[in-house]
Amino acid sequence: MNEQSQKHASTTISANSSRANAALMIGFFTILGALACEYIGGYLPCELCLIQRQPYYFGLPVLVITIVFWNRIPVFPRIALTWIVAALFAWGAYMGAYHSGVEWGFWSGPTSCTGSGEGLSFGDLNAINDARVVPCDKPEFRMFGLSFAGYNAIISTVITLILLWSAKGQYTSRKLASKK
């Protein structure tokens, strides 16, 4: 491999890890903001909100490990890990869009948090003061017409696209490095 090809491959590897770092930082500050809204702002998450946090709880640690060991993990397992995290965030984007649709009344949500469940018995009424059900179809906050779920759908999509860009770059730089 000539000197120019080595320099390009090195720059490409750096750019790909920078993209993964960007996705990590966006995800980290997003989940930090969600937790701050809950614990400082008093916005209680509903069942669908909690489900939308799962890509952050599971994907970000995998992404941290991938980034920390970036140069020690072989290329194809690293690409696979990047794809797995991207898939988690794609699912998170879907859940955010689904939740937004529930909030706008485009479709019904889970019966456990939309008030469209089965009838109550007197036994259920005895425990009603102990239960705090946050409705999934009534957003607690909207800014510029979007709720937290809508913003999560957008942010998760951005994270997914950045990770796919990184994975594509990793694959391309692997091909460049293999040409001698």
Side-chain angles (χ1 to χ4, degrees), residues 4-149:
Q4 186 178 8
S5 295
Q6 284 179 329
K7 185 177 179 183
H8 179 69
S10 174
T11 303
T12 306
I13 289 169
S14 176
N16 295 324
S17 64
S18 295
R19 292 174 193 142
N21 276 313
L24 175 68
M25 289 295 100
I26 292 168
F28 174 74
F29 285 112
T30 300
I31 195 63
L32 191 64
L35 292 169
C37 286
E38 178 181 352
Y39 291 106
I40 297 170
Y43 292 102
L44 295 176
C46 70
E47 180 182 330
L48 288 176
C49 293
L50 294 174
I51 290 171
Q52 289 174 77
R53 292 181 183 183
Q54 290 176 357
Y56 297 92
Y57 295 152
F58 297 113
L60 292 181
V62 172
L63 195 53
V64 165
I65 291 167
T66 304
I67 291 168
V68 167
F69 296 106
W70 191 268
N71 292 323
R72 293 183 202 122
I73 299 174
V75 175
F76 287 116
R78 189 176 68 221
I79 292 171
L81 289 170
T82 305
W83 269 93
I84 288 168
V85 176
L88 283 169
F89 278 97
W91 176 71
Y94 163 77
M95 289 305 298
Y98 170 73
H99 189 184
S100 292
V102 170
E103 292 172 341
W104 285 103
F106 296 149
W107 42 77
S108 60
T111 57
S112 60
C113 67
T114 57
S116 59
E118 300 172 9
L120 293 174
S121 70
F122 285 110
D124 294 334
L125 292 175
N126 288 333
I128 202 159
N129 289 334
D130 299 334
R132 170 71 167 108
V133 177
V134 179
C136 295
D137 55 353
K138 308 274 189 273
E140 290 193 44
F141 171 86
R142 282 198 194 273
M143 185 170 69
F144 306 118
L146 291 176
S147 66
F148 289 131

